[in-house]
Amino acid sequence: MKETSTAAGSNFIRNIMEEDNETGKFDKRVHTRFPPEPNGYLHIGHAKSICLNFGLAEEFGGKCNLRFDDTNPTKEDTEYVEAIKHDVRWLGFDWEDRLFFASDYFGKLYDFAVELIKKGKAFVDDLTPDEIREYRGTLTEPGKNSPYRDRSVEENLDLFERMKNGEFADGEKVLRAKIDMSSPNMNMRDPVIYRILHAHHHRTGDKWCIYPMYDFTHGISDSLEGITHSNCTLEFEDHRPLYDWFLDELDIYHSQQIEFAPLNLTYIVTSKRKVRKLVEDGLVDGWDDPRLATLSALRRRGYTPKAIREFCEQIGVGKSNSTVDIAQLEFVLRENLNKIATRVMAVLDPIKVVITNYPEDKVEEFDAVNNPEDESAGKRKVPFSREIYIERGDFMEDPPKKYFRLAPGKEVRLKHAYYVTCTDVIKNAAGEVVELHCTYDPATRGGWSDDGRKVKGTLHWVSVPHALKAEVRLYEHLFTVENPDDSRNEGDYLDYMNPSALTVVENAMVEPSLKSAEPGRPFQFLRKGYFTPDSKDHSADRLVFNRTVGLRDSWAKKNK
Ligand code: ATP
Ligand code: MG
């Protein structure tokens, strides 16, 4: 089901924080954290969590930590750590000196586990992973106690220490919390809190061969950092009793876990597992392929951090699962780019026009406004000459009635330059139009006439001797269906990839001012959309542009 943000900007966590500040629950402190697992690149969904955690902390004069939840050594890597830090900074947030890693707490977490054992609240279990699953029961049937559940504290302490010392093989033993095998909440059925894994960790190296589980690690990390509001996505709601249980049993500072609805968008897939598959199978060109919804992909494509932040504010934060129309994100992006993008002329599918009454070697330079929305952006000079390129699609030999672009005998305005009238159509042997001849009216210099004659069509163009060749990459949704992830679909998300998600235009012609364009800088190619130079492939010798988003707006129309 799609939902547009009716209560734009409403955020129930903001309300909770206000209330807590009134009652003094956390001594008027707001201290949040953003806790990514460094097992992939951040995506647009994470932006919601980042804006929520860093944004609210900022708003309440509080703090937000960046904490890597790095408890899965086999899946994690420093490459991801660096990419995540870059993305958070790019979005405009700052963790100052509060960069933490759950792995920094491995020593403390071990001590807490020992404390639980001493309290009789944890035990070493010899059941195999399969047996543990069997003993767990189902949603409708209670589980069974493990035969090892009643080991003495001494025996548990001894075995746990020997687990740490590497005396056992992977999977041979685990440490489990002793809670309640008949709890209706499966998470409370003696959950595993430590497992044996002889694996190299990207930070702690080979120091540990036992690793704490997420649920145990997360709450304790929050507690150690004095987090007030521990915001996480809805799927952790059923884990909250366990979160609370650990902190209560250990009797340490208690953060409040609060669950909110994750951001889902139409036409994309965000799960790191699924994106990794696309990357590893070469179906896309790396984690920052502009067709993806990772933050690095959106950046490469030309999204601005401001647009992403505004979008996150606009969709608000609620409790119920929904999917947001990606057109809403594109709408916010377009509004932002409209304010900041430099207008330039680029012809994506060029056809040559010769202006037969224009002197052969003459070059004029016309003033072009860089951004009508922003006077301070100034003007630039655009060269004009006897030969220009226009879009092939802006000419029709045999046009229908209300056609306002170029056609035999018709007059159009060349943006910033002159009015021209088409006089001749040149064809090749196959009958294809290869060149057009026009005449210009010198009295319309700058693209204006004061004799009252009506010219409806305005075309963009590029002077042939001044044009720079460019590669232009056009994007569409990566998937052909709104919810490629939906379990009710036939097949899986890979079956719904859009083969035309990328179209490469090899021989576009762009105005010479783009020679010095830098990646990330936003441009509007007049009548063609918003573009930015590609951060990987663009250089002064090889111009490569990504289309960020088209000009046409479907979302605002739909929601008028
Ligand atoms: P994925 O399953 O998409 O790969 P994840 O949840 O495993 O993501 P984490 O690194 O564990 O990724 O997430 C870090 C934080 O971002 C967590 O607090 C998580 O709840 C939050 N988060 C993840 N996905 C979303 C989303 N779609 N919307 C909002 N918050 C999200
Ligand atoms: Mg996760």
Side-chain angles (χ1 to χ4, degrees):
M1 213 198 49
K2 261 188 297 175
E3 190 179 87
T4 51
S5 59
T6 36
S10 85
N11 180 332
F12 78 99
I13 298 181
R14 178 182 284 133
N15 302 344
I16 291 178
M17 288 173 170
E18 271 164 8
E19 246 173 70
D20 289 347
N21 276 355
E22 266 164 40
T23 61
K25 179 170 175 185
F26 294 107
D27 307 323
K28 300 196 188 246
R29 280 186 318 119
V30 167
H31 196 157
T32 55
R33 83 288 172 267
F34 172 63
E37 183 183 352
N39 63 345
Y41 283 63
L42 297 182
H43 53 66
I44 183 73
H46 292 117
K48 175 174 179 176
S49 176
I50 294 169
C51 291
L52 165 65
N53 285 300
F54 279 95
L56 284 183
E58 216 169 86
E59 210 179 299
F60 283 90
K63 294 173 183 163
C64 180
N65 299 354
L66 176 60
R67 183 201 314 143
F68 287 96
D69 236 314
D70 54 348
T71 53
N72 281 320
T74 53
K75 295 196 179 139
E76 295 160 2
D77 198 275
T78 41
E79 175 201 341
Y80 301 132
V81 170
E82 292 312 312
I84 289 169
K85 282 158 67 176
H86 186 241
D87 286 344
V88 175
R89 272 197 212 103
W90 176 70
L91 276 180
F93 297 108
D94 185 2
W95 54 88
E96 297 170 333
D97 57 351
R98 296 177 310 279
L99 171 63
F100 300 112
F101 292 83
S103 56
D104 292 342
Y105 309 135
F106 281 171
K108 286 182 178 150
L109 289 162
Y110 180 83
D111 293 341
F112 282 124
V114 167
E115 213 175 306
L116 284 182
I117 295 174
K118 285 184 179 159
K119 281 187 73 177
K121 296 289 182 180
F123 67 100
V124 173
D125 197 354
D126 294 3
L127 291 183
T128 65
D130 281 342
E131 286 167 335
I132 290 182
R133 217 168 296 126
E134 261 168 54
Y135 275 66
R136 229 175 145 218
T138 64
L139 284 174
T140 49
E141 273 172 67
K144 281 189 300 187
N145 283 350
S146 161
Y148 303 97
R149 199 175 197 260
D150 295 321
R151 277 178 162 150
S152 69
V153 168
E154 289 68 35
E155 191 184 358
N156 281 320
L157 285 174
D158 173 62
L159 288 172
F160 187 49
E161 187 172 357
R162 288 166 57 197
M163 277 170 64
K164 181 187 76 163
N165 292 342
E167 290 186 28
F168 306 111
D170 290 1
E172 209 179 318
K173 291 187 175 5
V174 289
L175 183 72
R176 298 177 70 174
K178 198 187 283 188
I179 308 179
D180 178 5
M181 288 307 288
S182 60
S183 169
N185 183 338
M186 302 288 282
N187 295 303
M188 302 300 273
R189 295 186 186 175
D190 293 4
V192 172
I193 57 182
Y194 261 93
R195 67 213 195 280
I196 301 173
L197 206 58
H198 291 268
H200 187 84
H201 187 279
H202 68 103
R203 284 178 62 85
T204 58
D206 298 317
K207 177 162 183 214
W208 296 89
C209 62
I210 56 171
Y211 290 94
M213 300 300 285
Y214 173 85
D215 281 322
F216 181 67
T217 309
H218 199 80
I220 293 176
S221 304
D222 283 343
S223 176
L224 292 171
E225 293 174 15
I227 300 304
T228 54
H229 305 82
S230 176
N231 306 309
C232 60
T233 34
L234 284 183
E235 72 268 25
F236 290 101
E237 193 161 14
D238 289 343
H239 296 241
R240 184 164 14 105
L242 182 56
Y243 182 102
D244 291 336
W245 187 90
F246 287 127
L247 299 183
D248 289 340
E249 288 299 333
L250 292 166
D251 197 20
I252 53 180
Y253 168 80
H254 204 133
S255 321
Q256 175 67 53
Q257 177 179 308
I258 302 167
E259 308 86 20
F260 65 94
L263 169 61
N264 301 304
L265 280 170
T266 54
Y267 296 107
I268 63 166
V269 156
T270 55
S271 148
K272 284 179 267 195
R273 187 173 55 76
K274 292 180 180 165
V275 174
R276 182 176 304 105
K277 170 109 183 115
L278 296 175
V279 172
E280 285 173 357
D281 290 2
L283 296 169
V284 295
D285 169 32
W287 285 92
D288 65 350
D289 184 302
R291 287 167 290 184
L292 293 172
T294 59
L295 293 179
S296 46
L298 296 177
R299 175 168 58 241
R300 187 171 168 197
R301 174 132 166 200
Y303 273 69
T304 60
K306 185 158 195 268
I308 295 175
R309 287 201 312 265
E310 272 176 17
F311 169 72
C312 289
E313 183 61 32
Q314 200 179 91
I315 56 172
V317 179
K319 268 269 181 200
S320 56
N321 257 316
S322 68
T323 299
V324 177
D325 190 337
I326 195 158
Q328 188 178 350
L329 172 61
E330 290 171 348
F331 169 77
V332 177
L333 174 66
R334 228 178 252 119
E335 288 218 308
N336 178 230
L337 291 175
N338 181 43
K339 291 195 193 107
I340 60 173
T342 303
R343 273 60 170 175
V344 291
M345 294 198 285
V347 176
L348 303 195
D349 183 13
I351 183 166
K352 192 155 104 181
V353 176
V354 180
I355 301 163
T356 50
N357 61 339
Y358 194 86
E360 292 241 1
D361 42 12
K362 184 170 171 180
V363 174
E364 281 180 272
E365 287 199 315
F366 291 108
D367 275 335
V369 171
N370 283 331
N371 186 351
E373 303 285 318
D374 174 12
E375 214 179 306
S376 73
K379 291 180 180 171
R380 69 185 186 292
K381 300 278 185 200
V382 181
F384 180 82
S385 67
R386 179 182 158 93
E387 296 193 348
I388 60 167
Y389 293 117
I390 65 166
E391 297 286 350
R392 191 171 292 274
D394 280 340
F395 170 80
M396 263 182 106
E397 196 173 8
D398 207 1
K401 248 200 168 144
K402 293 221 162 176
Y403 188 77
F404 299 121
R405 290 171 277 164
L406 202 60
K410 279 226 176 190
E411 187 170 49
V412 295
R413 172 189 294 113
L414 295 177
K415 181 83 179 170
H416 307 305
Y418 289 108
Y419 288 8
V420 293
T421 303
C422 180
T423 52
D424 280 297
V425 180
I426 317 297
K427 295 182 183 175
N428 63 12
E432 296 156 350
V433 178
V434 290
E435 193 177 296
L436 301 170
H437 288 183
C438 288
T439 54
Y440 84 114
D441 178 355
T444 56
R445 196 171 190 282
W448 300 106
S449 158
D450 44 22
D451 66 5
R453 81 182 187 260
K454 284 228 160 53
V455 166
K456 278 206 174 153
T458 300
L459 308 189
H460 60 280
W461 53 272
V462 179
S463 161
V464 171
H466 304 92
L468 303 175
K469 198 176 111 161
E471 177 180 325
V472 173
R473 299 171 182 171
L474 307 174
Y475 300 101
E476 283 172 38
H477 301 315
L478 186 52
F479 296 95
T480 53
V481 291
E482 282 192 1
N483 299 307
D485 251 345
D486 197 320
S487 54
R488 288 165 300 184
N489 291 344
E490 233 175 86
D492 70 3
Y493 68 109
L494 296 173
D495 297 323
Y496 295 93
M497 289 190 70
N498 178 4
S500 35
L502 168 64
T503 304
V504 179
V505 176
E506 305 267 3
N507 292 307
M509 291 292 173
V510 305
E511 66 168 73
S513 72
L514 285 167
K515 177 130 191 120
S516 55
E518 277 156 29
R521 172 138 174 240
F523 293 95
Q524 186 193 98
F525 290 3
L526 289 180
R527 302 172 66 223
K528 290 286 149 190
Y530 293 99
F531 293 79
T532 200
D534 185 67
S535 53
K536 269 194 185 158
D537 300 328
H538 173 91
S539 69
D541 302 323
R542 180 186 170 213
L543 309 188
V544 181
F545 292 91
N546 292 318
R547 179 156 73 187
T548 311
V549 66
L551 292 173
R552 210 175 55 104
D553 180 21
S554 50
W555 192 78
K557 280 198 200 102
K558 252 191 289 182
N559 292 281
K560 271 244 167 81

